[in-house]
Amino acid sequence: RDEVEEGKEGGSGRDEAGATAKVADILERIGCPLPAESVLFLAQSGSYMFNLHTTTSDEDYTIVFAFQESQRVYNGSASQSQYRNHTTRRHTNDKSDVTEYTATEAGEF
């Protein structure tokens, strides 16, 4: 998150493009189908946010997004107000290979 925020602080088009590229990289890595340009806020949350993660912790992300009217139809279907990827594992607490996210449209946040 800090890297993305640092890219926005400068205010130049190049910094904004760099921040958008970093957001796009994170979205691709975590498997979130949103276009980077629609993201208003993206933060690593959960145990990492409080520096309480362990070697068996998963990665959690919180995303707030807003679609422009031209993006209301995405991938041939109406856009959703929330996208989620969460994993439940039985018989183990080790989720070190898991990345979870909740992305909520700003009007629903």
Side-chain angles (χ1 to χ4, degrees):
R1 187 190 99 182
D2 292 335
E3 291 175 3
V4 173
E5 289 301 319
E6 286 174 13
K8 290 184 179 180
E9 287 176 8
S12 75
R14 189 176 70 206
D15 289 343
E16 188 173 322
T20 300
K22 288 179 182 181
V23 168
D25 289 345
I26 292 169
L27 293 174
E28 182 177 344
R29 185 173 62 79
I30 67 176
C32 184
L34 293 169
E37 298 79 16
S38 69
V39 174
L40 303 174
F41 174 82
L42 183 150
Q44 190 167 18
S45 51
S47 59
Y48 277 84
M49 188 168 134
F50 300 102
N51 201 27
L52 298 173
H53 58 286
T54 67
T55 57
T56 62
S57 294
D58 62 347
E59 289 184 53
D60 301 287
Y61 288 87
T62 299
I63 304 163
V64 178
F65 67 94
F67 282 131
Q68 302 294 323
E69 280 305 313
S70 62
Q71 296 172 312
R72 292 280 176 207
V73 175
Y74 188 71
N75 288 338
S77 62
S79 60
Q80 298 172 224
S81 62
Q82 190 172 70
Y83 297 84
R84 296 172 55 94
N85 179 41
H86 291 275
T87 303
T88 302
R89 289 200 173 160
R90 295 181 182 184
H91 311 297
T92 182
N93 289 328
D94 186 353
K95 292 173 65 176
S96 59
D97 61 336
V98 174
T99 302
E100 301 180 330
Y101 65 84
T102 300
T104 306
E105 208 276 329
E108 302 289 323
F109 187 69

XYZ file of all heavy atoms in Angstrom:
847
model
N 0.824 -1.182 0.000
C 0.000 0.000 0.000
C 0.868 1.246 0.000
O 0.595 2.171 -0.735
C -0.928 -0.003 1.194
C -1.909 1.137 1.135
C -2.642 1.268 2.403
N -1.975 2.337 3.121
C -2.284 2.759 4.306
N -3.220 2.175 4.966
N -1.663 3.741 4.868
N 1.890 1.283 0.817
C 2.740 2.462 0.895
C 3.353 2.788 -0.454
O 3.438 3.943 -0.841
C 3.843 2.287 1.931
C 3.293 2.251 3.348
O 2.201 2.814 3.561
O 3.932 1.658 4.211
N 3.776 1.749 -1.191
C 4.371 1.989 -2.496
C 3.372 2.646 -3.434
O 3.705 3.551 -4.175
C 4.856 0.680 -3.110
C 6.036 0.076 -2.388
C 6.413 -1.269 -2.952
O 5.784 -1.706 -3.934
O 7.328 -1.893 -2.411
N 2.128 2.197 -3.397
C 1.106 2.765 -4.264
C 0.818 4.199 -3.854
O 0.741 5.092 -4.678
C -0.183 1.908 -4.229
C -1.300 2.596 -4.982
C 0.094 0.534 -4.806
N 0.690 4.451 -2.564
C 0.419 5.805 -2.089
C 1.569 6.744 -2.417
O 1.345 7.882 -2.780
C 0.154 5.802 -0.576
C -1.170 5.169 -0.204
C -2.354 5.864 -0.836
O -2.387 7.103 -0.904
O -3.260 5.154 -1.291
N 2.809 6.259 -2.306
C 3.946 7.106 -2.629
C 3.893 7.546 -4.080
O 4.209 8.671 -4.412
C 5.260 6.361 -2.369
C 5.586 6.231 -0.902
C 6.812 5.361 -0.679
O 7.543 5.073 -1.642
O 7.024 4.956 0.474
N 3.438 6.675 -4.956
C 3.334 7.011 -6.369
C 2.313 8.099 -6.632
O 2.437 8.862 -7.579
N 1.312 8.234 -5.794
C 0.270 9.231 -5.996
C 0.632 10.585 -5.412
O 0.075 11.595 -5.808
C -1.047 8.751 -5.375
C -1.650 7.592 -6.124
C -2.985 7.218 -5.539
C -3.599 6.068 -6.319
N -4.881 5.673 -5.801
N 1.562 10.629 -4.482
C 1.875 11.873 -3.785
C 2.447 12.934 -4.699
O 2.189 14.108 -4.529
C 2.851 11.606 -2.636
C 2.194 10.906 -1.483
C 3.185 10.571 -0.392
O 4.343 11.018 -0.459
O 2.798 9.851 0.534
N 3.239 12.541 -5.695
C 3.907 13.506 -6.543
C 2.964 14.323 -7.397
O 3.249 15.459 -7.730
N 1.844 13.784 -7.776
C 0.853 14.513 -8.525
C 1.116 14.578 -10.011
O 0.291 15.071 -10.763
N 2.243 14.107 -10.491
C 2.509 14.162 -11.921
C 1.846 12.984 -12.612
O 1.521 11.975 -11.997
C 4.015 14.143 -12.184
O 4.533 12.842 -11.987
N 1.634 13.131 -13.902
C 1.030 12.055 -14.676
C 1.840 10.786 -14.622
O 1.308 9.692 -14.599
N 3.168 10.932 -14.595
C 4.042 9.762 -14.545
C 3.863 9.025 -13.232
O 3.808 7.799 -13.193
C 5.491 10.175 -14.748
C 6.403 8.970 -14.926
C 7.813 9.370 -15.217
N 8.367 9.951 -13.997
C 9.344 10.832 -13.960
N 9.883 11.260 -15.074
N 9.799 11.305 -12.819
N 3.769 9.751 -12.119
C 3.566 9.122 -10.821
C 2.224 8.407 -10.779
O 2.114 7.309 -10.250
C 3.635 10.147 -9.690
C 5.052 10.666 -9.461
O 6.008 10.024 -9.935
O 5.185 11.710 -8.818
N 1.200 9.049 -11.313
C -0.128 8.436 -11.336
C -0.132 7.179 -12.192
O -0.704 6.165 -11.815
C -1.150 9.433 -11.858
C -2.571 8.935 -11.724
C -3.586 9.993 -12.089
O -3.368 11.170 -11.764
O -4.597 9.612 -12.695
N 0.541 7.227 -13.330
C 0.627 6.047 -14.196
C 1.381 4.926 -13.489
O 1.002 3.757 -13.586
C 1.316 6.407 -15.510
N 2.428 5.282 -12.750
C 3.176 4.272 -12.004
C 2.337 3.638 -10.916
O 2.389 2.426 -10.695
N 1.544 4.460 -10.220
C 0.660 3.939 -9.172
C -0.392 3.031 -9.780
O -0.690 1.961 -9.238
C 0.003 5.084 -8.408
N -0.957 3.433 -10.926
C -1.967 2.601 -11.593
C -1.358 1.269 -12.028
O -1.992 0.224 -11.891
C -2.565 3.343 -12.801
O -3.164 4.553 -12.337
C -3.617 2.503 -13.506
N -0.132 1.302 -12.497
C 0.542 0.066 -12.898
C 0.765 -0.848 -11.698
O 0.586 -2.071 -11.796
C 1.872 0.385 -13.581
N 1.141 -0.281 -10.554
C 1.332 -1.093 -9.347
C 0.017 -1.701 -8.888
O -0.045 -2.862 -8.489
C 1.950 -0.262 -8.224
C 3.401 0.056 -8.465
C 3.983 0.888 -7.357
C 5.424 1.234 -7.647
N 6.030 2.026 -6.593
N -1.062 -0.911 -8.949
C -2.382 -1.434 -8.591
C -2.752 -2.564 -9.545
O -3.236 -3.619 -9.116
C -3.449 -0.314 -8.600
C -4.857 -0.895 -8.513
C -3.201 0.656 -7.456
N -2.526 -2.373 -10.837
C -2.829 -3.414 -11.827
C -2.052 -4.692 -11.531
O -2.602 -5.802 -11.625
C -2.525 -2.906 -13.228
N -0.788 -4.559 -11.158
C 0.033 -5.732 -10.818
C -0.546 -6.473 -9.616
O -0.626 -7.707 -9.615
C 1.476 -5.328 -10.520
C 2.237 -4.894 -11.760
O 1.770 -5.170 -12.891
O 3.298 -4.256 -11.595
N -0.948 -5.730 -8.585
C -1.523 -6.365 -7.394
C -2.837 -7.057 -7.751
O -3.063 -8.208 -7.363
C -1.732 -5.336 -6.265
C -0.382 -4.837 -5.745
C -2.548 -5.946 -5.110
C -0.461 -3.636 -4.821
N -3.705 -6.373 -8.501
C -4.986 -6.969 -8.874
C -4.786 -8.256 -9.658
O -5.484 -9.245 -9.431
C -5.818 -5.975 -9.690
C -6.306 -4.732 -8.950
C -6.994 -3.777 -9.921
C -7.224 -5.089 -7.800
N -3.835 -8.248 -10.574
C -3.559 -9.459 -11.356
C -3.043 -10.574 -10.455
O -3.471 -11.719 -10.552
C -2.546 -9.153 -12.450
C -2.252 -10.362 -13.317
C -1.293 -10.049 -14.449
O -1.077 -8.870 -14.769
O -0.751 -11.025 -15.007
N -2.123 -10.239 -9.554
C -1.529 -11.254 -8.664
C -2.570 -11.903 -7.760
O -2.529 -13.097 -7.511
C -0.419 -10.628 -7.819
C 0.327 -11.637 -6.948
C 1.520 -11.021 -6.260
N 1.184 -9.952 -5.354
C 0.706 -10.143 -4.111
N 0.484 -11.353 -3.659
N 0.453 -9.109 -3.339
N -3.537 -11.099 -7.274
C -4.528 -11.664 -6.355
C -5.754 -12.207 -7.084
O -6.635 -12.784 -6.463
C -4.950 -10.644 -5.276
C -5.722 -9.464 -5.857
C -3.740 -10.185 -4.487
C -6.249 -8.487 -4.815
N -5.812 -12.015 -8.411
C -6.907 -12.578 -9.194
C -8.189 -11.762 -9.156
O -9.270 -12.296 -9.387
N -8.095 -10.476 -8.894
C -9.272 -9.611 -8.848
C -9.550 -9.073 -10.256
O -8.653 -8.512 -10.884
C -9.039 -8.459 -7.870
S -10.483 -7.396 -7.674
N -10.780 -9.231 -10.761
C -11.076 -8.888 -12.157
C -11.329 -7.410 -12.437
O -11.778 -7.073 -13.524
C -12.355 -9.702 -12.420
C -13.053 -9.710 -11.110
C -11.939 -9.820 -10.088
N -11.045 -6.525 -11.506
C -11.324 -5.106 -11.704
C -10.247 -4.424 -12.546
O -9.067 -4.768 -12.436
C -11.387 -4.382 -10.358
C -12.545 -4.759 -9.457
C -12.327 -4.186 -8.064
C -13.846 -4.247 -10.042
N -10.631 -3.415 -13.339
C -9.612 -2.605 -14.003
C -8.954 -1.671 -12.983
O -9.636 -1.119 -12.108
C -10.409 -1.814 -15.047
C -11.813 -1.801 -14.553
C -11.996 -3.043 -13.720
N -7.663 -1.516 -13.063
C -6.924 -0.705 -12.085
C -7.447 0.722 -12.018
O -7.443 1.332 -10.946
C -5.441 -0.710 -12.426
N -7.916 1.249 -13.127
C -8.396 2.631 -13.162
C -9.632 2.844 -12.293
O -9.955 3.970 -11.938
C -8.717 3.054 -14.596
C -7.514 3.036 -15.520
C -7.145 1.631 -16.009
O -7.973 0.689 -15.903
O -6.008 1.472 -16.483
N -10.332 1.790 -11.944
C -11.548 1.915 -11.137
C -11.265 1.884 -9.635
O -12.142 2.175 -8.832
C -12.542 0.804 -11.486
O -12.059 -0.449 -11.046
N -10.030 1.561 -9.231
C -9.691 1.405 -7.820
C -9.452 2.766 -7.169
O -8.620 3.550 -7.617
C -8.467 0.491 -7.643
C -8.028 0.440 -6.189
C -8.786 -0.917 -8.146
N -10.209 3.022 -6.104
C -10.046 4.249 -5.322
C -9.131 4.036 -4.127
O -8.438 4.941 -3.686
C -11.411 4.729 -4.811
C -12.484 4.993 -5.852
C -13.805 5.308 -5.171
C -12.058 6.112 -6.779
N -9.171 2.825 -3.571
C -8.422 2.499 -2.357
C -8.073 1.023 -2.399
O -8.918 0.197 -2.736
C -9.290 2.798 -1.128
C -8.681 2.378 0.183
C -7.754 3.187 0.818
C -9.050 1.184 0.784
C -7.195 2.804 2.033
C -8.495 0.791 1.990
C -7.569 1.610 2.617
N -6.829 0.702 -2.082
C -6.385 -0.683 -2.004
C -5.394 -0.761 -0.857
O -4.431 0.008 -0.812
C -5.712 -1.104 -3.318
C -5.258 -2.549 -3.403
C -5.326 -3.032 -4.841
C -3.883 -2.741 -2.846
N -5.660 -1.654 0.083
C -4.754 -1.797 1.230
C -4.617 -3.260 1.608
O -5.586 -4.017 1.550
C -5.278 -1.012 2.426
N -3.412 -3.625 1.985
C -3.230 -4.944 2.564
C -3.766 -4.861 3.978
O -3.398 -3.968 4.748
C -1.767 -5.350 2.548
C -1.573 -6.799 2.910
C -0.183 -7.298 2.611
O 0.754 -6.512 2.437
N -0.022 -8.600 2.557
N -4.669 -5.750 4.319
C -5.353 -5.695 5.607
C -5.122 -6.995 6.370
O -4.214 -7.747 6.054
C -6.848 -5.413 5.387
O -7.392 -6.314 4.445
N -5.933 -7.247 7.363
C -5.783 -8.462 8.166
C -4.551 -8.389 9.052
O -4.124 -7.310 9.481
N -3.939 -9.525 9.293
C -2.817 -9.591 10.233
C -1.612 -8.785 9.760
O -0.872 -8.237 10.578
C -2.413 -11.041 10.481
O -2.029 -11.674 9.270
N -1.419 -8.651 8.441
C -0.300 -7.852 7.935
C -0.457 -6.380 8.302
O 0.519 -5.679 8.536
C -0.184 -7.983 6.413
C 0.553 -9.212 5.973
C -0.093 -10.432 5.849
C 1.909 -9.168 5.670
C 0.577 -11.570 5.447
C 2.598 -10.296 5.263
C 1.928 -11.495 5.154
O 2.611 -12.613 4.758
N -1.690 -5.911 8.346
C -1.948 -4.510 8.651
C -1.448 -4.133 10.046
O -1.024 -3.005 10.277
C -3.460 -4.247 8.540
C -3.847 -2.817 8.634
S -5.571 -2.680 8.149
C -6.173 -1.647 9.437
N -1.509 -5.088 10.958
C -1.109 -4.838 12.342
C 0.241 -5.475 12.684
O 0.609 -5.554 13.846
C -2.186 -5.356 13.293
C -3.513 -4.694 13.077
C -4.523 -5.338 12.387
C -3.740 -3.401 13.527
C -5.740 -4.721 12.175
C -4.954 -2.769 13.321
C -5.959 -3.433 12.640
N 0.940 -5.951 11.647
C 2.221 -6.620 11.818
C 2.107 -7.812 12.774
O 2.997 -8.068 13.583
C 3.309 -5.644 12.278
C 4.703 -6.165 11.988
O 4.896 -6.946 11.050
N 5.670 -5.763 12.782
N 0.994 -8.525 12.673
C 0.757 -9.706 13.507
C 0.808 -11.007 12.700
O 0.441 -12.068 13.201
C -0.611 -9.595 14.202
C -0.765 -8.416 15.168
C -2.205 -8.321 15.661
C 0.192 -8.567 16.341
N 1.223 -10.923 11.448
C 1.255 -12.106 10.594
C 2.335 -13.087 11.045
O 3.318 -12.703 11.685
C 1.468 -11.697 9.134
C 2.715 -10.914 8.899
N 2.849 -9.588 9.268
C 3.907 -11.274 8.366
C 4.045 -9.162 8.953
N 4.722 -10.169 8.412
N 2.093 -14.334 10.721
C 3.038 -15.402 11.028
C 3.360 -16.125 9.725
O 2.833 -15.779 8.662
C 2.440 -16.411 12.034
O 1.358 -17.102 11.403
C 1.957 -15.716 13.295
N 4.182 -17.141 9.807
C 4.542 -17.896 8.596
C 3.348 -18.642 8.010
O 3.382 -19.036 6.846
C 5.669 -18.896 8.890
O 5.243 -19.771 9.937
C 6.944 -18.179 9.291
N 2.282 -18.827 8.776
C 1.097 -19.530 8.262
C -0.046 -18.579 7.894
O -1.127 -19.033 7.535
C 0.586 -20.562 9.301
O 0.200 -19.861 10.487
C 1.645 -21.603 9.613
N 0.201 -17.275 7.968
C -0.859 -16.302 7.667
C -1.113 -16.182 6.168
O -0.197 -16.303 5.353
C -0.471 -14.914 8.189
O -0.399 -14.896 9.577
N -2.365 -15.901 5.838
C -2.706 -15.580 4.469
C -2.495 -14.085 4.242
O -2.152 -13.348 5.158
C -4.160 -15.962 4.168
C -5.165 -15.202 5.019
O -4.756 -14.554 6.005
O -6.353 -15.253 4.707
N -2.671 -13.649 3.000
C -2.631 -12.226 2.676
C -4.066 -11.776 2.439
O -4.808 -12.446 1.726
C -1.820 -11.965 1.416
C -0.343 -12.159 1.572
C 0.396 -11.779 0.305
O 0.193 -10.655 -0.194
O 1.145 -12.620 -0.187
N -4.445 -10.642 3.016
C -5.788 -10.096 2.850
C -5.679 -8.699 2.260
O -4.804 -7.920 2.654
C -6.501 -9.993 4.205
C -6.616 -11.342 4.887
O -7.433 -12.148 4.427
O -5.892 -11.570 5.872
N -6.595 -8.381 1.343
C -6.649 -7.054 0.749
C -8.066 -6.515 0.836
O -9.037 -7.263 0.675
C -6.215 -7.090 -0.722
C -4.736 -7.312 -0.880
C -4.202 -8.595 -0.915
C -3.867 -6.236 -0.977
C -2.842 -8.798 -1.042
C -2.498 -6.441 -1.105
C -1.996 -7.720 -1.142
O -0.646 -7.917 -1.266
N -8.164 -5.220 1.075
C -9.432 -4.510 1.043
C -9.348 -3.514 -0.104
O -8.369 -2.763 -0.215
C -9.688 -3.772 2.371
O -9.746 -4.756 3.418
C -10.988 -2.986 2.335
N -10.381 -3.527 -0.953
C -10.393 -2.686 -2.140
C -11.717 -1.941 -2.201
O -12.778 -2.534 -1.971
C -10.232 -3.542 -3.421
C -8.960 -4.385 -3.333
C -10.259 -2.679 -4.672
C -8.909 -5.536 -4.323
N -11.669 -0.650 -2.502
C -12.871 0.139 -2.777
C -12.713 0.640 -4.208
O -11.653 1.158 -4.578
C -13.023 1.325 -1.796
C -14.254 2.151 -2.144
C -13.106 0.812 -0.363
N -13.761 0.476 -5.001
C -13.677 0.865 -6.408
C -14.921 1.627 -6.836
O -15.954 1.601 -6.160
C -13.480 -0.368 -7.296
C -14.652 -1.305 -7.324
C -15.620 -1.210 -8.308
C -14.791 -2.300 -6.363
C -16.704 -2.076 -8.342
C -15.865 -3.175 -6.385
C -16.822 -3.059 -7.376
N -14.813 2.316 -7.950
C -15.944 3.021 -8.559
C -15.846 2.839 -10.061
O -14.791 3.055 -10.653
C -15.916 4.507 -8.214
N -16.938 2.436 -10.657
C -16.980 2.304 -12.103
C -17.438 3.601 -12.739
O -18.332 4.274 -12.223
C -17.967 1.206 -12.524
C -17.435 -0.192 -12.372
C -18.172 -1.156 -11.731
C -16.194 -0.552 -12.884
C -17.695 -2.452 -11.602
C -15.713 -1.832 -12.762
C -16.468 -2.788 -12.123
N -16.836 3.943 -13.860
C -17.364 5.006 -14.704
C -18.548 4.409 -15.470
O -18.683 3.190 -15.573
C -16.297 5.491 -15.699
C -15.029 5.997 -15.052
C -15.287 7.259 -14.240
O -16.082 8.099 -14.622
N -14.612 7.385 -13.109
N -19.416 5.229 -15.986
C -20.581 4.721 -16.726
C -20.159 3.768 -17.839
O -20.804 2.760 -18.076
C -21.411 5.877 -17.298
C -22.327 6.510 -16.287
C -23.278 5.518 -15.608
O -23.915 4.690 -16.296
O -23.360 5.549 -14.369
N -19.048 4.076 -18.503
C -18.595 3.218 -19.600
C -18.116 1.854 -19.115
O -17.986 0.927 -19.901
C -17.471 3.904 -20.372
O -16.354 4.120 -19.517
N -17.875 1.720 -17.819
C -17.407 0.452 -17.257
C -18.533 -0.335 -16.595
O -18.293 -1.389 -16.037
C -16.312 0.705 -16.216
C -15.064 1.316 -16.785
C -14.097 1.712 -15.690
O -14.482 2.358 -14.719
N -12.847 1.331 -15.839
N -19.742 0.169 -16.636
C -20.859 -0.511 -15.959
C -21.103 -1.895 -16.530
O -21.629 -2.758 -15.864
C -22.140 0.312 -16.047
C -22.066 1.589 -15.260
C -22.306 1.321 -13.811
N -22.140 2.553 -13.051
C -21.785 2.608 -11.814
N -21.566 1.515 -11.142
N -21.652 3.758 -11.204
N -20.736 -2.113 -17.779
C -20.790 -3.455 -18.356
C -19.347 -3.900 -18.499
O -18.547 -3.252 -19.161
C -21.506 -3.468 -19.724
C -21.433 -4.840 -20.348
C -22.942 -3.020 -19.556
N -19.005 -4.976 -17.829
C -17.623 -5.437 -17.768
C -17.585 -6.895 -18.188
O -18.348 -7.718 -17.692
C -17.095 -5.252 -16.341
C -15.631 -5.523 -16.197
C -14.700 -4.648 -16.736
C -15.176 -6.647 -15.519
C -13.345 -4.883 -16.602
C -13.827 -6.883 -15.383
C -12.917 -6.002 -15.924
O -11.580 -6.235 -15.796
N -16.722 -7.200 -19.124
C -16.609 -8.569 -19.646
C -17.940 -9.097 -20.157
O -18.283 -10.259 -19.954
C -16.032 -9.516 -18.583
C -14.568 -9.270 -18.335
O -13.875 -8.713 -19.175
N -14.095 -9.677 -17.178
N -18.719 -8.230 -20.771
C -19.964 -8.674 -21.401
C -21.136 -8.832 -20.469
O -22.205 -9.265 -20.874
N -20.977 -8.517 -19.188
C -22.103 -8.639 -18.259
C -22.130 -7.423 -17.341
O -21.155 -6.691 -17.223
C -21.984 -9.922 -17.429
O -20.813 -9.890 -16.657
N -23.261 -7.224 -16.686
C -23.396 -6.084 -15.781
C -22.371 -6.183 -14.658
O -22.066 -7.267 -14.168
C -24.806 -6.041 -15.208
N -21.813 -5.063 -14.271
C -20.816 -5.053 -13.204
C -21.460 -5.386 -11.862
O -22.637 -5.158 -11.646
C -20.129 -3.692 -13.136
O -21.078 -2.694 -12.876
N -20.666 -5.919 -10.982
C -21.107 -6.274 -9.641
C -20.746 -5.157 -8.677
O -19.859 -4.362 -8.942
C -20.409 -7.560 -9.195
C -20.714 -8.756 -10.034
C -19.849 -9.938 -9.642
O -19.335 -10.602 -10.496
N -19.680 -10.214 -8.358
N -21.405 -5.126 -7.520
C -21.052 -4.133 -6.512
C -20.033 -4.693 -5.524
O -19.480 -3.950 -4.727
C -22.293 -3.650 -5.765
O -22.904 -4.717 -5.077
N -19.758 -6.004 -5.585
C -18.749 -6.584 -4.700
C -18.129 -7.814 -5.354
O -18.808 -8.604 -6.011
C -19.345 -6.972 -3.353
C -18.278 -7.343 -2.338
C -18.838 -7.533 -0.948
O -19.548 -8.481 -0.696
N -18.507 -6.594 -0.061
N -16.825 -7.932 -5.173
C -16.069 -9.098 -5.625
C -15.340 -9.633 -4.408
O -14.788 -8.871 -3.624
C -15.045 -8.700 -6.702
C -15.669 -8.155 -7.958
C -16.018 -6.816 -8.052
C -15.920 -8.983 -9.042
C -16.596 -6.303 -9.197
C -16.507 -8.483 -10.196
C -16.830 -7.137 -10.262
O -17.404 -6.643 -11.397
N -15.347 -10.952 -4.261
C -14.722 -11.550 -3.079
C -13.972 -12.813 -3.471
O -14.383 -13.540 -4.359
C -15.784 -11.948 -2.050
C -16.570 -10.813 -1.484
C -17.743 -11.310 -0.628
N -17.326 -12.212 0.418
C -17.054 -11.836 1.670
N -17.178 -10.585 2.018
N -16.681 -12.713 2.568
N -12.905 -13.051 -2.763
C -12.188 -14.312 -2.861
C -11.745 -14.667 -1.451
O -10.831 -14.043 -0.907
C -10.968 -14.200 -3.782
C -10.216 -15.510 -3.848
O -10.810 -16.572 -3.913
N -8.895 -15.435 -3.821
N -12.436 -15.622 -0.850
C -12.102 -16.059 0.507
C -12.055 -17.576 0.529
O -12.826 -18.254 -0.146
C -13.129 -15.535 1.524
C -13.045 -14.059 1.693
N -12.159 -13.470 2.559
C -13.707 -13.053 1.078
C -12.287 -12.164 2.477
N -13.216 -11.878 1.580
N -11.158 -18.111 1.321
C -10.915 -19.545 1.379
C -11.172 -20.066 2.780
O -10.745 -19.454 3.756
C -9.451 -19.851 0.997
O -9.199 -19.314 -0.298
C -9.175 -21.333 1.002
N -11.863 -21.187 2.848
C -12.045 -21.883 4.119
C -11.315 -23.212 4.018
O -11.557 -23.977 3.089
C -13.534 -22.135 4.411
O -14.209 -20.893 4.417
C -13.718 -22.836 5.741
N -10.429 -23.446 4.940
C -9.701 -24.718 4.954
C -10.013 -25.456 6.240
O -9.941 -24.886 7.324
C -8.203 -24.479 4.871
C -7.769 -23.987 3.520
C -6.313 -24.234 3.340
N -5.944 -23.911 1.982
C -4.720 -23.651 1.612
N -3.747 -23.662 2.494
N -4.450 -23.385 0.364
N -10.325 -26.691 6.092
C -10.572 -27.534 7.272
C -9.318 -28.338 7.570
O -8.550 -28.655 6.678
C -11.741 -28.468 7.005
C -13.019 -27.703 6.816
C -14.169 -28.596 6.570
N -15.347 -27.754 6.357
C -16.536 -28.214 6.193
N -16.754 -29.500 6.209
N -17.535 -27.396 5.997
N -9.112 -28.650 8.799
C -8.020 -29.515 9.271
C -6.652 -28.859 9.207
O -5.650 -29.538 9.343
C -7.991 -30.838 8.507
C -9.327 -31.511 8.425
N -10.009 -31.954 9.531
C -10.129 -31.774 7.367
C -11.163 -32.477 9.152
N -11.255 -32.372 7.843
N -6.583 -27.558 8.968
C -5.292 -26.869 9.002
C -5.506 -25.375 9.200
O -6.506 -24.823 8.776
C -4.480 -27.097 7.709
O -3.215 -26.441 7.846
C -5.195 -26.556 6.488
N -4.577 -24.754 9.866
C -4.593 -23.305 10.018
C -3.610 -22.633 9.067
O -3.520 -21.414 9.031
C -4.246 -22.913 11.459
C -5.359 -23.262 12.413
O -6.516 -23.234 12.045
N -4.997 -23.591 13.639
N -2.858 -23.439 8.320
C -1.851 -22.889 7.420
C -2.509 -22.376 6.145
O -3.016 -23.130 5.337
C -0.812 -23.956 7.072
C 0.350 -23.413 6.263
O 0.299 -22.239 5.843
O 1.309 -24.174 6.060
N -2.515 -21.064 6.002
C -3.058 -20.436 4.801
C -1.990 -19.573 4.132
O -2.281 -18.602 3.466
C -4.277 -19.581 5.163
C -5.470 -20.415 5.628
C -6.608 -19.566 6.142
C -7.232 -18.704 5.097
N -8.413 -17.951 5.581
N -0.731 -19.951 4.321
C 0.374 -19.139 3.826
C 0.387 -18.994 2.308
O 0.974 -18.064 1.788
C 1.711 -19.703 4.297
O 1.869 -21.035 3.847
N -0.263 -19.899 1.608
C -0.298 -19.832 0.153
C -1.608 -19.223 -0.363
O -1.919 -19.320 -1.541
C -0.099 -21.220 -0.446
C -1.201 -22.204 -0.034
O -1.828 -21.993 1.026
O -1.421 -23.181 -0.767
N -2.370 -18.579 0.515
C -3.684 -18.050 0.172
C -3.666 -16.524 0.160
O -3.097 -15.900 1.052
C -4.751 -18.542 1.189
C -6.091 -17.890 0.953
C -4.866 -20.057 1.138
N -4.285 -15.952 -0.858
C -4.505 -14.509 -0.916
C -6.003 -14.286 -1.036
O -6.641 -14.828 -1.931
C -3.775 -13.875 -2.111
O -2.385 -14.156 -1.996
C -3.993 -12.380 -2.151
N -6.553 -13.514 -0.113
C -7.986 -13.232 -0.089
C -8.215 -11.743 -0.281
O -7.358 -10.936 0.069
C -8.595 -13.670 1.243
C -8.407 -15.144 1.523
C -9.000 -15.580 2.841
O -9.053 -14.775 3.799
O -9.406 -16.739 2.932
N -9.374 -11.411 -0.846
C -9.701 -9.997 -0.991
C -11.205 -9.804 -0.947
O -11.983 -10.709 -1.226
C -9.149 -9.411 -2.298
C -9.762 -9.994 -3.546
C -10.965 -9.502 -4.054
C -9.147 -11.033 -4.224
C -11.529 -10.035 -5.191
C -9.695 -11.574 -5.368
C -10.891 -11.068 -5.854
O -11.448 -11.610 -6.987
N -11.585 -8.599 -0.572
C -12.957 -8.114 -0.703
C -12.877 -6.769 -1.393
O -12.176 -5.868 -0.923
C -13.642 -7.956 0.658
O -13.679 -9.231 1.305
C -15.062 -7.414 0.506
N -13.549 -6.657 -2.531
C -13.603 -5.410 -3.279
C -15.054 -4.944 -3.288
O -15.948 -5.684 -3.696
C -13.106 -5.624 -4.702
N -15.283 -3.718 -2.811
C -16.631 -3.199 -2.666
C -16.758 -1.896 -3.454
O -15.896 -1.022 -3.362
C -16.948 -2.935 -1.182
O -16.707 -4.135 -0.442
C -18.392 -2.505 -0.982
N -17.849 -1.749 -4.203
C -18.120 -0.531 -4.951
C -18.364 0.597 -3.964
O -18.994 0.407 -2.926
C -19.337 -0.742 -5.859
C -19.335 0.114 -7.102
C -19.882 1.499 -6.871
O -20.747 1.662 -6.013
O -19.429 2.427 -7.552
N -17.833 1.767 -4.236
C -17.859 2.874 -3.279
C -19.263 3.181 -2.761
O -19.439 3.495 -1.586
C -17.248 4.120 -3.893
N -20.274 3.072 -3.586
C -21.639 3.346 -3.157
C -22.169 2.334 -2.167
O -23.143 2.592 -1.455
N -21.532 1.173 -2.082
C -21.937 0.101 -1.170
C -21.057 0.046 0.071
O -21.325 -0.704 0.991
C -21.885 -1.260 -1.881
C -22.740 -1.362 -3.118
C -24.208 -1.396 -2.780
O -24.575 -2.008 -1.752
O -24.997 -0.821 -3.556
N -19.951 0.785 0.053
C -18.952 0.688 1.110
C -19.448 1.247 2.419
O -20.074 2.187 2.580
C -17.657 1.390 0.679
C -16.533 1.201 1.642
C -15.930 -0.024 1.802
C -16.060 2.255 2.402
C -14.878 -0.210 2.676
C -15.014 2.098 3.276
C -14.425 0.861 3.411
